[in-house]
């Protein structure tokens, strides 16, 4: 029996990656159709009731006609699209979470939504380490100064030099796939590693490498704080002015997770006062950063444009993880990364 699959790739997780992975992981009678979404050349945004999506409802409704499976990174899955796509059974999102899908409506329509946890763990962990090194060693600032003809030997003054990772205490807030890699890397570089994660009772294979502690203890002890929590109502604003003030003078904070975790105004205040030696961010409350943002003018703040997960391996991993669940679907096996398993048991609504 032929399974019709729509590959709705973009300019990062491209259709050839998705289709190639599907042919490797889900061999069988698959019939492909394709649509290419404009992300990242055009920023993602809200589409109807879902966030961080690319493309339009009309585009997806047309492309999904007759499709049983859709694999994508950024395509929206809205109630309107579901109502217009009665053949759809599986919607695969090659991201760490299915933010661009209306899970409630998908469940009502008997459409399972799968995703790709850990797809960018390696890239994001490496970017995090790069930002830590850039912050503690003033790499961006000294590069810019030197290119402008300034030899900043004055940065050798004791009051202006940063710390080494070796012998320092690093605190990780959140310990999922990315945080665990960062923990191992920092420990290998000689740091004492603290972890706060309310969802963990023990550190498992990180035992002996890191120490699980409450958040207030982590902030009081760590000279390097790196955020790795997911964005939830409970984690929104979890690091504010009081938490930053509790950090040791001269410490740094890094965020490659989500902009909603942190009070950026408080960071700017602490950087201007000298309480923070530096801060480095890849994610922000508003993206792109508004032109008048203090983040662009406050000294000792390093920013990159939400690129931590951008690597060829991430795109390939995303396609492979997603394709493996499509293979399970085709073979009638349980899905490994399903966000709404109850959809598989839900009665299908009648065709319009």
């Amino acid at each position: 029996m032929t399974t019709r699959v729509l590959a709705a790739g973009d300019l990062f997780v491209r259709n050839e990656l998705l289709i190639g992975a599907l042919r490797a992981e889900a061999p069988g009678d698959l019939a492909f159709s394709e649509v290419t979404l404009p992300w990242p050349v055009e920023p993602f945004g809200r589409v109807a009731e879902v966030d961080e999506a690319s493309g339009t409802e009309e585009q997806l409704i047309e492309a999904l006609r007759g499709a049983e499976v859709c694999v994508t990174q950024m395509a929206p899955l809205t109630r309107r699209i579901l109502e217009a796509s009665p053949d759809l059974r599986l919607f695969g999102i090659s991201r760490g979470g299915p933010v661009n899908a209306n899970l409630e409506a998908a469940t009502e329509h008997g459409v399972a939504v799968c995703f790709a946890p850990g797809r960018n763990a390696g890239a994001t962990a490496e970017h995090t380490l790069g930002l830590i090194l850039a912050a503690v060693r003033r790499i961006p600032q000294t590069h810019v100064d030197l290119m402008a003809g300034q030899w900043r030997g004055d940065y050798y003054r004791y009051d202006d030099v940063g710390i080494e990772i070796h012998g320092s205490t690093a605190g990780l807030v959140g310990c999922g796939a990315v945080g665990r890699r960062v923990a191992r890397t920092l420990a290998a570089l000689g740091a004492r590693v603290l972890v706060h994660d309310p969802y963990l009772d023990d550190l498992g294979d990180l035992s002996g490498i890191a120490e699980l502690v409450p958040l207030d203890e982590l902030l009081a002890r760590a000279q390097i704080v790196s955020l790795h929590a997911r964005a939830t109502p409970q984690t929104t604003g979890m690091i504010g002015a009081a938490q930053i003030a509790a950090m040791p003078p001269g410490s740094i904070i890094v965020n490659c997770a989500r902009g909603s975790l942190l009070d950026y105004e408080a960071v700017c205040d602490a950087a201007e006062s000298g309480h923070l030696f530096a801060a480095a961010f890849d994610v922000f409350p508003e993206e792109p950063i508004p032109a008048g943002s203090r983040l662009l003018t406050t000294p000792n703040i390093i920013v990159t444009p939400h690129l931590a997960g951008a690597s060829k391996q991430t795109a390939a991993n995303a396609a492979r993880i997603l394709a493996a669940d499509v293979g399970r679907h085709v073979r009638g096996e349980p899905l490994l990364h399903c966000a709404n398993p109850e959809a598989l048991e839900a009665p299908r609504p009648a065709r319009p």
Side-chain angles (χ1 to χ4, degrees), residues 115-151:
F115 59 107
R119 63 167 191 156
N120 62 358
T124 304
E126 290 181 5
H127 197 88
T128 299
L129 180 63
L131 288 184
I132 291 171
L133 289 167
V136 298
R137 304 312 299 269
R138 297 191 187 273
I139 293 171
Q141 299 97 314
T142 52
H143 168 81
V144 170
D145 289 342
L146 193 55
M147 296 297 286
Q150 291 183 277
W151 185 269

Side-chain angles (χ1 to χ4, degrees), residues 28 71 88 92 98 106 145 177 223 250 297 308-309 322 333:
V71 287
L88 188 63
D145 289 342
Q223 298 148 292
T297 57
L322 207 56
E333 300 170 2

Side-chain angles (χ1 to χ4, degrees), residues 60-301:
L60 263 292
I61 288 170
E62 178 62 31
L64 280 169
R65 293 193 189 281
E68 177 182 333
V69 174
C70 177
V71 287
T72 187
Q73 177 180 222
M74 290 289 179
L77 185 65
T78 66
R79 184 174 293 277
R80 181 182 167 207
I81 291 171
L82 286 155
E83 290 170 351
S85 307
D87 296 306
L88 188 63
R89 290 292 288 152
L90 178 67
F91 195 87
I93 297 173
S94 62
R95 304 172 71 177
V99 66
N100 43 315
N102 182 333
L103 292 180
E104 180 180 356
T107 302
E108 291 171 7
H109 285 76
V111 175
V113 177
C114 59
F115 59 107
R119 63 167 191 156
N120 62 358
T124 304
E126 290 181 5
H127 197 88
T128 299
L129 180 63
L131 288 184
I132 291 171
L133 289 167
V136 298
R137 304 312 299 269
R138 297 191 187 273
I139 293 171
Q141 299 97 314
T142 52
H143 168 81
V144 170
D145 289 342
L146 193 55
M147 296 297 286
Q150 291 183 277
W151 185 269
R152 295 300 302 268
D154 57 312
Y155 275 148
Y156 229 114
R157 293 180 303 203
Y158 182 84
D159 288 342
D160 292 323
V161 296
I163 60 174
E164 298 177 15
I165 293 175
H166 181 85
S168 296
T169 299
L172 309 183
V173 181
C175 196
V178 177
R180 300 184 87 81
R181 288 179 182 239
V182 173
R184 292 189 190 95
T185 303
L186 291 174
L189 291 173
R192 294 178 293 273
V193 180
L194 309 178
V195 169
H196 170 72
D197 192 321
Y199 299 100
L200 293 180
D201 295 323
D202 63 74
L203 288 172
D205 60 350
L206 290 182
S207 297
I209 295 174
E211 180 184 355
L212 194 61
V213 298
L215 180 59
D216 56 355
E217 181 179 345
L218 181 150
L219 294 170
R221 292 173 57 187
Q223 298 148 292
I224 300 166
V225 172
S226 185
L227 306 185
H228 300 284
R230 292 198 65 82
T232 68
Q234 292 73 33
T235 61
T236 297
M238 67 184 303
I239 306 296
Q243 289 74 29
I244 293 168
M247 293 168 60
S251 54
I252 73 163
I253 189 165
V254 174
N255 187 9
C256 287
R258 286 289 179 172
S260 62
L261 304 178
L262 180 62
D263 183 340
Y264 284 77
E265 287 294 315
V267 170
C268 291
D269 290 341
E272 287 179 347
S273 72
H275 178 68
L276 288 177
F277 179 80
F281 307 126
D282 186 60
V283 291
F284 309 94
E286 184 178 349
E287 297 180 3
I289 304 172
S293 172
R294 291 175 67 195
L295 290 170
L296 302 176
T297 57
T298 301
N300 302 323
I301 291 182

